[in-house]
Amino acid sequence: MPTVPEIDLTDPAVVRDPFTAYGAARECSPLARLPVPGAAPWWVLTRHEHARAMLGDPRFEITSGSFMGPDVPEDCRPYMRTMTELAAPEHARLRRLVSPAFTARRAEAFRPRIGTLVAELLDALPGHAEDGAVDLMRHFTRPLPIGVICELVGIPEDDRPRWRAYGAAVAAGSGRRFAEAVPGIMEGAKAAVARRRAAPGDDLLSDLVRAQDVDGDRLSDTETVTLVWHLVLAGQTPTNLIANAVAALLAHPAQLAALRADPGLMPQAVEELMRWCGPTLLSIPRHAREDAELCGARVGKGEAVVAAIASANRDPRAFADPDRLDITRTPGATSHLGFAHGPHFCLGAGLARVQTQVALTALLDRFPGLAPAADLDALRAPDPGTWRLTELPVTTG
């Protein structure tokens, strides 16, 4: 096949505006190459049709080599290998056991409790203002998901300040603070599982402890603790989605006005925001289980393949006028890939959706004069894999 384009993740232009960079590659070819320092280049699927197909193709699997784990004490390692890393049979078994706890209906049932957490954070927001501005990342979008997780797994009130610190460390993405938080999270998760084994309640962890399939298969304590760790990691999606959504709406006042005029648009607005500015730029790398062909190119066994979510979600072959943010866009037959696709479709997508809907609805209602207090484009993290802000300073009016 013709020479495919190469995407250089060390290029500041790519990091600063991945949507334009990946879009240019997409319109040149359905397949690109991504150099990886110290490793073989990755194949990158740039168009929606091919990216979606690969994410559901059993020839390409997530393996332990798809991740760079933190350096943690040996006793934490059994809990670090989440469901995402498991091979098909083991992954399917766990997903079958835990899926009933993560249904859209279960997420909806949790909406009032999320609303209470959101209200508490918004009540406190004015008190965090400095020089008239408050950082929504620090005081709203980061503490909310870890607060939700504490509710989901029954963390005692006295322990929650510590878990909020853990959440902030995990949000950093890597480094010493991240690694230091892991043992505390694991200890807290083990204690929470033991409490729910002894006295189940009305929360997700109790559902997981009770989970049993028709053959009597159950989750082990190690598997349940690992799922709590997985929840903490997955909490970064709503953290960054809510922040990105606020930034996008503030930059598009007509869209913000339309949403305020009709709050009933919120569910489809969240889907559009996930498509247009969702945090995931690149999927987790998959590795070819065998020699395969992608878009006319030979992919050798073991080679890494990723879906460029930032590109696929703005593919004009799948979405009309894709670079335009339109909260009234009616979801059609083509869905965005912000929560992935296939066997590894995000298990907590329903919860992330509800969390984002509740957070945005309450924030926009509480602060009608909400406005940016800085150039938000200048506050983007130099992260080639995740579209995220380092802070989100606003004035609340």
Side-chain angles (χ1 to χ4, degrees):
M1 65 175 295
T3 302
V4 298
E6 188 172 280
I7 299 168
D8 181 3
L9 294 186
T10 65
D11 183 348
V14 175
V15 177
R16 185 172 56 250
D17 185 2
F19 304 100
T20 296
Y22 283 109
R26 179 192 62 232
E27 296 313 306
C28 177
S29 169
L31 198 62
R33 292 288 265 170
L34 194 154
V36 179
W42 293 352
W43 294 99
V44 183
L45 289 157
T46 62
R47 296 179 184 170
H48 186 281
E49 176 188 2
H50 305 107
R52 187 177 188 275
M54 187 278 292
L55 292 173
D57 191 330
R59 295 177 302 165
F60 303 97
E61 62 180 357
I62 295 176
T63 69
S64 58
S66 300
F67 300 90
M68 292 180 61
D71 185 16
V72 298
E74 194 62 36
D75 63 322
C76 292
R77 295 192 180 281
Y79 309 102
M80 299 294 291
R81 189 166 173 255
T82 67
M83 187 193 309
T84 306
E85 301 177 48
L86 300 179
E90 199 176 358
H91 174 267
R93 169 190 164 263
L94 278 181
R95 190 145 187 137
R96 184 178 65 250
L97 282 168
V98 306
S99 287
F102 288 93
T103 62
R105 178 180 293 182
R106 196 73 176 91
E108 279 296 330
F110 205 67
R111 186 182 287 265
R113 289 160 78 176
I114 295 174
T116 299
L117 292 170
V118 166
E120 290 172 354
L121 290 170
L122 294 182
D123 287 344
L125 212 54
H128 295 300
E130 298 179 10
D131 299 323
V134 63
D135 181 3
L136 279 185
M137 288 286 289
R138 181 178 180 185
H139 300 295
F140 185 55
T141 76
R142 280 195 191 124
L144 176 59
I146 199 71
V148 170
I149 290 164
C150 286
E151 284 285 315
L152 290 172
V153 302
I155 300 299
E157 286 292 338
D158 290 349
D159 288 344
R160 295 193 181 190
R162 189 151 40 103
W163 275 69
R164 284 193 288 272
Y166 296 153
V170 171
S174 62
R176 181 178 56 83
R177 287 182 62 215
F178 183 107
E180 289 176 350
V182 173
I185 293 170
M186 299 309 182
E187 286 305 311
K190 285 188 275 190
V193 170
R195 281 193 299 271
R196 286 299 178 251
R197 290 275 188 216
D202 180 25
D203 52 40
L204 180 141
L205 187 57
S206 297
D207 289 350
L208 294 175
V209 165
R210 287 189 290 255
Q212 180 174 335
D213 69 10
V214 293
D215 296 322
D217 189 14
R218 302 179 69 94
L219 296 172
S220 68
D221 280 1
T222 296
E223 289 168 337
T224 311
V225 170
T226 302
L227 275 164
V228 175
W229 167 242
H230 196 168
L231 281 173
V232 174
L233 288 177
Q236 301 322 303
T237 294
T239 287
N240 294 315
L241 174 57
I242 296 167
N244 287 349
V246 171
L249 291 169
L250 292 178
H252 294 79
Q255 297 293 304
L256 177 56
L259 188 54
R260 281 197 162 118
D262 184 2
L265 289 172
M266 186 60 76
Q268 70 194 69
V270 168
E271 296 307 307
E272 173 69 350
L273 289 159
M274 188 62 163
R275 180 196 72 83
W276 195 81
C277 61
T280 303
L281 297 173
L282 295 168
S283 72
I284 297 168
R286 271 75 170 163
H287 293 92
R289 299 177 62 188
E290 58 192 54
D291 291 347
E293 182 182 302
L294 280 177
C295 304
R298 179 188 174 279
V299 177
K301 180 179 179 180
E303 291 188 325
V305 182
V306 296
I309 305 299
S311 171
N313 278 348
R314 295 204 187 185
D315 186 352
R317 298 157 191 81
F319 304 98
D321 199 5
D323 289 322
R324 180 170 61 92
L325 175 65
D326 179 7
I327 63 162
T328 67
R329 189 186 298 270
T330 302
T334 301
S335 58
H336 66 74
L337 300 177
F339 292 114
H341 175 70
H344 289 280
F345 179 81
C346 177
L347 193 63
L351 194 61
R353 285 173 165 132
V354 170
Q355 198 173 156
T356 305
Q357 292 168 17
V358 173
L360 291 178
T361 299
L363 177 69
L364 299 181
D365 181 63
R366 181 77 68 93
F367 301 112
L370 194 72
D375 177 4
L376 300 184
D377 287 338
L379 297 175
R380 286 283 163 195
D383 185 339
T386 307
W387 186 241
R388 62 187 178 92
L389 291 158
T390 56
E391 54 185 294
L392 178 50
V394 298
T395 55
T396 54

